[in-house]
Amino acid sequence: MFLSLLQRRNAALLDAAAMLHALGDLPTNTYAIDLDAVKKNASAFVNEATRLGLRAFAMTKQIGRNPDVSQALVQSGLTHAVGVDLECAIAATTGGLRVGHLGHLVQIPRHQAAVAASLEPLYWTVFNETKAREAGAAALNQGRIQDVLLRVVDVGDQFYTGHEGGFALDDIVAAAKRIDTIPGVRFAGLTTFPATLFDPVSATAKATPNRRTLTEARNRLLAAGRVDIEINAPGTTSVSILESLAADGATQVEPGHGLTGTTPLHAVQDLIEEPAIAYVSEVSHLWNGSAYVFGGGLYVDPVLGDSRTEALIVPPTATSTSDAIKLRVDMPAPGSIDYYASIPLSHNHGVSVGDTVIFGFRPQVFVSRALTAAISGISTGHPHVEGIWSSDGSAPLSPSLSRANQENRTLPWTP
């Protein structure tokens, strides 16, 4: 789905990834990230968020918490991150991002509250008073008062399985009062997820019932005398939906896939963000009429539903990825380890062991074994691998990968 989008809107990333892989600078099983495009996307996001009075926190789990991208986001004005879990928040700081929000989606384990507090997050989401007490005690040990957000829930709200939890709408005014009695914390606002979802029928992004719950909860708190209520409203976040979120009272937004142009909406509409990420593999072996391709980061997001997966096979003789062969891929079953994907070769395509293979996924790198690499200079025709990182944002152990930083390659193909 996103491969066609890349071919149409960012073929230069595909060309750069193919060349760098063929040269050995970009390892197999790597998500290649166009740093120039990410900077452009982030700047567009910051400009629109600033215009609307929204504060943006970057979600970096999808790109494996890549530190080079984190640094680029800071340079573009996205100074704070949201941590999907504590590990995500810690990893984001290695790239220079500060922690804007943690505890949502994943609550902080009780014995790790001190670590979370040491990051000095601007906001910390809690689903119950026990978690608020843990946060408060940890914050006091740091000499701080922690602003907390409450996950508010009402009948009919939509949550992914396993994401449920929070404070009932009908109890939200009383809950905010109780939170303010807990030493070390201060009620600051509300959150939910998702506030927006892609609707495949209309091919648009629509507000969920959760967003109405946020609005109703805020109105009840305002009626009770509360002021300056933060409204954190993540989900399917791109520049195109910011005005809608601001109109519904949001004060905080959390772009993730919006920064790489890979929300579901990007698959069906040309939005301001450019697609900025591709998965690079290679042919491992040929067997029984199929090419077997290395996995580790093969991922079809279930949010997209059933969809055909295709890949580009780039032979060494190609002068650009426009000369590549685009073929259907048989992906491993969802319950299988993705050691390989197979590509049926119904005709003699001249595919050989070692050929570069490129996919266009909507990634969740942090749940994979994939590497990530930010490539700078694609827009100027001088692509350069900034570094190779593991899926958790740490440096991989293999010293041989460090040579990717030693040379500035000139793209032999026209971007």
Side-chain angles (χ1 to χ4, degrees), residues 32-343:
I33 304 166
D34 183 343
L35 204 57
D36 298 353
V38 168
K39 287 181 180 179
K40 183 178 178 181
N41 294 343
S43 294
F45 203 98
V46 169
N47 290 340
E48 181 69 354
T50 300
R51 183 183 76 83
L52 296 168
L54 299 170
R55 186 160 198 177
F57 302 141
M59 174 66 82
T60 64
K61 67 182 176 71
Q62 293 96 333
I63 55 170
R65 302 137 182 187
N66 184 288
D68 297 316
V69 177
S70 293
Q71 291 175 19
L73 295 177
V74 173
Q75 294 165 9
S76 301
L78 276 172
T79 58
H80 289 70
V82 50
V84 68
D85 52 24
L86 178 59
E87 291 76 15
C88 191
I90 293 170
T93 64
T94 65
L97 286 163
R98 286 170 283 171
V99 179
H101 182 200
L102 54 67
H104 187 226
L105 297 168
V106 180
Q107 294 280 275
I108 304 302
R110 63 191 178 104
H111 290 304
Q112 292 173 288
V115 177
S118 71
L119 299 175
E120 299 188 353
L122 298 181
Y123 301 96
W124 184 330
T125 287
V126 296
F127 289 4
N128 52 58
E129 291 170 51
T130 299
K131 286 299 176 189
R133 289 190 175 87
E134 292 169 3
L140 286 177
N141 284 337
Q142 294 285 328
R144 300 176 63 242
I145 301 298
Q146 178 64 55
D147 281 342
V148 297
L149 304 178
L150 307 188
R151 160 85 81 82
V152 60
V153 181
D154 195 24
V155 176
D157 284 356
Q158 296 178 246
F159 296 100
Y160 293 109
T161 302
H163 287 200
E164 301 88 353
F167 293 84
L169 171 64
D170 287 342
D171 186 47
I172 200 64
V173 173
K177 290 180 180 178
R178 294 195 301 271
I179 291 297
D180 278 341
T181 68
I182 297 173
V185 295
R186 174 174 50 220
F187 171 80
L190 307 164
T191 189
T192 189
F193 178 82
T196 309
L197 276 179
F198 176 69
D199 175 30
V201 176
S202 64
T204 60
K206 290 187 174 182
T208 63
N210 308 37
R211 203 193 293 190
R212 292 196 295 272
T213 298
L214 281 178
T215 300
E216 176 61 22
R218 182 195 61 172
N219 290 342
R220 294 186 187 189
L221 289 163
L222 289 172
R226 294 275 178 178
V227 295
D228 299 326
I229 303 166
E230 292 287 333
I231 302 295
N232 177 275
T236 317
T237 310
S238 68
V239 170
S240 66
I241 71 163
L242 295 188
E243 194 159 359
S244 168
L245 288 168
D248 284 346
T251 62
Q252 300 175 14
V253 291
E254 297 180 348
H257 279 292
L259 300 174
T260 51
T262 48
T263 75
L265 197 59
H266 286 87
V268 297
Q269 295 184 29
D270 279 352
L271 305 181
I272 189 172
E273 299 96 346
E274 296 179 0
I277 190 166
Y279 179 67
V280 181
S281 185
E282 70 177 83
V283 175
S284 165
H285 56 284
L286 306 176
W287 183 255
N288 282 349
S290 292
Y292 283 73
V293 176
F294 288 107
L298 300 171
Y299 183 82
V300 176
D301 195 322
V303 169
L304 299 174
D306 293 333
S307 59
R308 176 187 174 103
T309 300
E310 296 179 316
L312 295 178
I313 301 181
V314 189
T317 57
T319 58
S320 79
T321 51
S322 63
D323 298 328
I325 308 162
K326 190 174 185 179
L327 296 175
R328 176 181 62 83
V329 180
D330 289 337
M331 295 287 282
S336 301
I337 298 173
D338 65 327
Y339 295 118
Y340 300 101
S342 62
I343 301 178

